[in-house]
Amino acid sequence: MTHPVMLALMTTAPMRKDAARNWQRIAEVGRRLVDEGSPLHLNEVARLASVGVATVYRHFPTPEALMEAVATPGLEALVTRAEQALAEDDVWRALTGFLHSTMDAQLTDPSITAVRSAPRNVLPHTTELTTTLDTLAAHLLTRAHTAGIVREEITWEDLRPLMCGIAYAANIHTEDQQERLESGRRYLAVTIRGMRP
């Protein structure tokens, strides 16, 4: 079965079967290391994936490229969630529901916060996803401004780093995922209350 990260990033030219298997093994090791909170050292990734170092570098020339590949399915899910939110009639519920979904994603998938807080992307697909996500999120906020239910001066450029900051704050207090989720949701609730006019 093809790994979802691989499906997200495969180009129109199909990989050879052995290259595809290597890509999948490397991506799976990257996913495991990210979930464990371990750094993505490509030499170590090669050892754990039982492939040559050159093979890892051929697929992922930098640790950032591997991190973005790992984050891709989560980012795609957030784009879908934002599109669903824009179709909702209740503007406040749409915006806050999207923010809660984003926070939960950041707290359960460390790669998303890593990619969203990075100064730049290295993969074109990641740039496309993050740009789309930011555009949709900004539309959700604009709808809330138009409805008069969010303070006019608040922009998505304000909220995006705040979301990363909340995820960071929730993560440093405990290694227990449920406690992290509860803390993150509590901190987000404070932020959301501050958004009201």
Side-chain angles (χ1 to χ4, degrees):
M1 185 177 191
T2 305
H3 194 278
V5 175
M6 185 175 177
L7 286 173
L9 295 180
M10 284 179 70
T11 62
T12 52
M15 289 185 190
R16 291 189 339 255
K17 284 186 179 179
D18 60 333
R21 276 195 303 271
N22 288 339
W23 196 105
Q24 183 171 335
R25 285 214 299 264
I26 295 163
E28 286 171 351
V29 166
R31 172 82 269 169
R32 189 171 77 241
L33 290 173
V34 168
D35 289 341
E36 292 170 357
S38 302
L40 291 180
H41 297 303
L42 297 185
N43 288 6
E44 178 67 3
V45 170
R47 185 185 70 79
L48 293 171
S50 301
V51 298
V53 173
T55 299
V56 174
Y57 279 88
R58 187 163 51 250
H59 289 293
F60 303 102
T62 65
E64 291 78 15
L66 180 53
M67 180 68 78
E68 290 181 19
V70 169
T72 292
L75 291 171
E76 289 179 332
L78 283 176
V79 167
T80 299
R81 179 65 186 90
E83 290 169 341
Q84 292 167 345
L86 279 170
E88 293 180 29
D89 292 330
D90 186 323
V91 175
W92 178 251
R93 183 176 171 181
L95 175 62
T96 57
F98 169 72
L99 293 177
H100 279 286
S101 295
T102 301
M103 183 52 54
D104 284 358
Q106 288 183 283
L107 291 171
T108 55
D109 184 350
S111 67
I112 293 177
T113 299
V115 170
R116 294 296 277 158
S117 61
R120 68 188 62 82
N121 305 130
V122 296
L123 300 177
H125 186 58
T126 309
T127 301
E128 179 187 335
L129 283 172
T130 56
T131 300
T132 300
L133 185 57
D134 287 338
T135 300
L136 294 170
H139 284 325
L140 284 167
L141 193 56
T142 298
R143 286 202 318 166
H145 286 149
T146 302
I149 55 177
V150 168
R151 288 162 47 191
E152 283 290 337
E153 69 271 21
I154 296 174
T155 67
W156 180 243
E157 287 71 29
D158 297 325
L159 284 180
R160 185 164 63 89
L162 274 175
M163 296 291 284
C164 292
I166 291 170
Y168 176 78
N171 277 320
I172 62 172
H173 289 301
T174 178
E175 293 184 5
D176 181 79
Q177 188 173 49
Q178 188 55 41
E179 288 182 18
R180 285 199 306 265
L181 280 168
E182 290 170 3
S183 295
R185 290 166 182 166
R186 202 165 55 249
Y187 303 157
L188 179 60
V190 172
T191 301
I192 287 173
R193 281 198 295 273
M195 292 164 54
R196 287 287 202 177

